[in-house]
Amino acid sequence: MVDESVRALNSCGVPMKISAQQDEPLSLTRILEEDTELLHGPLPPDYPAGATDTIRTAALVHHIHTSHATRAGLCLSGGGIRSATFGLGVLQSLARLQLLNTFDYLSTVSGGGYIGSWLTAWIHRHPRGLDGVINDLQATSGRGAADPPHPVQWLRNYSNYLSPHLGFFSADSWTLLGIYLRNLHLNWMVLLPLLMLPLLLPRWMIALAQLNLCEPQSNPCKPRLPDYAVPTLLTIGLGLAVMALIYLHLCRPTLRDYRHEAWQSLERQPWFLLACLIPLVAATICLTTASAWFRNAGGMMGQFTLHQAVLGGALIHTGSWLFATVALKRFKVFSWWLAGETGAVVATGALGGW
């Protein structure tokens, strides 16, 4: 590729340096240096050729800005045929104002590339080059201009470049329809599964909750899952809930003065997701599923008294709070505020159990 580009440039009469070590990758600074020499001539004698890339790049930018401060570029943005049509009007106005030949660079993208390539091809093929194109564009910039040049008329005739020949029996129309359906199908293959996934979550949760239904024609009820399934899931759910509660009590904003550097690292977003939010959601799923499995197996919630539920909630919350309090060494200085907080933790835990 490099050799072919060099031969192409040399065939056009453009001098270009050929590096002695072409097999090695070129740095960005080296590419900019060769590009600058190709466009603007040799670099100044005081250019730091043996310095680092950073120093050479800064010197190169300074040289370009001080030597060619009046250079300008014309940029045509994208937007399909609308941007191409707008770009044609801009080119006609610049030609009418005698400004089109003052630009040194042309940069285009998408629809701007359509009109930009059209302009470049016309300049290349016109017998008088850019000057002839400017004169022809001036003739078409006025309102009601008749008999536009052939390139402009060709551009107007084929402005519908995605489907030049319209009609029910046109191959262009059916090709465009096929391309549209293909792209639509590809987008649906990516987007529809992502949209269907949240809609399937409730059905998966129902199927999970119904795993421990009694086997058909079994009397008394014989659960489909082993006896240890409900206690195991209940233990996992409670453990995850305790983990989330400990994190919440460790990272309360009002306790920032108690957290040293190691504990403060837990305040970051990844730790919140891994140690609090995800365990809390997982604990909710485990506890509700365990409750459903218990009831599906013929168990009655009345087997657990309200006092047991209140006591369990108070113990779980108080134990989590106590672990965080000891870890933060808050008991070094006793205060009535700490005693009141203890009562609030016990009460809120009992309320949660209830």
Side-chain angles (χ1 to χ4, degrees), residues 258 324-333:
Y258 292 95
T325 303
V326 173
L328 297 177
K329 300 179 181 179
R330 297 181 59 195
F331 282 125
K332 282 187 174 181
V333 180

Side-chain angles (χ1 to χ4, degrees), residues 1 24 29 49 107 112 122 145-146 149 182 197 213 232 273 276 282 318 326:
M1 289 292 294
E24 298 182 359
T29 304
S107 176
W122 191 10
R182 179 199 63 184
L197 182 61
L213 287 172
T232 301
L273 296 175
C276 183
T318 305
V326 173

Side-chain angles (χ1 to χ4, degrees), residues 54-138:
T54 304
I55 297 176
R56 287 157 54 198
T57 302
L60 192 64
V61 172
H62 177 74
H63 165 67
I64 295 174
H65 287 179
T66 54
S67 302
H68 309 284
T70 58
R71 292 191 179 273
L74 177 61
C75 303
L76 302 175
S77 65
I81 192 59
R82 294 170 300 177
S83 66
T85 305
F86 178 80
L88 176 60
V90 170
L91 295 176
Q92 290 174 329
S93 299
L94 291 174
R96 180 170 54 84
L97 298 174
Q98 296 295 323
L99 294 176
L100 188 58
N101 58 349
T102 61
F103 294 99
D104 302 283
Y105 303 97
L106 177 64
S107 176
T108 64
V109 62
S110 190
Y114 181 68
I115 194 66
S117 60
W118 169 83
L119 174 66
T120 305
W122 191 10
I123 295 174
H124 177 72
R125 296 168 180 170
H126 201 288
R128 292 188 294 138
L130 178 59
D131 293 335
V133 171
I134 292 176
N135 291 335
D136 291 345
L137 285 175
Q138 287 177 350

Side-chain angles (χ1 to χ4, degrees), residues 71-221:
R71 292 191 179 273
L74 177 61
C75 303
L76 302 175
S77 65
I81 192 59
R82 294 170 300 177
S83 66
T85 305
F86 178 80
L88 176 60
V90 170
L91 295 176
Q92 290 174 329
S93 299
L94 291 174
R96 180 170 54 84
L97 298 174
Q98 296 295 323
L99 294 176
L100 188 58
N101 58 349
T102 61
F103 294 99
D104 302 283
Y105 303 97
L106 177 64
S107 176
T108 64
V109 62
S110 190
Y114 181 68
I115 194 66
S117 60
W118 169 83
L119 174 66
T120 305
W122 191 10
I123 295 174
H124 177 72
R125 296 168 180 170
H126 201 288
R128 292 188 294 138
L130 178 59
D131 293 335
V133 171
I134 292 176
N135 291 335
D136 291 345
L137 285 175
Q138 287 177 350
T140 62
S141 61
R143 295 183 61 182
D147 298 329
H150 179 69
V152 177
Q153 186 61 46
W154 181 277
L155 183 66
R156 292 173 178 173
N157 292 339
Y158 291 93
S159 59
N160 191 24
Y161 57 91
L162 292 179
S163 180
H165 298 91
L166 297 176
F168 184 79
F169 296 101
S170 170
D172 292 337
S173 298
W174 286 101
T175 301
L176 182 61
L177 178 62
I179 294 174
Y180 170 79
L181 293 177
R182 179 199 63 184
N183 294 340
L184 183 65
H185 178 65
L186 291 176
N187 287 329
W188 279 359
M189 290 179 62
V190 175
L191 298 177
L192 286 183
L194 296 177
L195 295 176
M196 293 171 62
L197 182 61
L199 300 178
L200 290 175
L201 288 177
R203 295 184 176 272
W204 290 343
M205 293 299 300
I206 294 174
L208 179 64
Q210 294 178 345
L211 283 179
N212 206 32
L213 287 172
C214 295
E215 293 185 358
Q217 300 177 353
S218 62
N219 191 15
C221 177

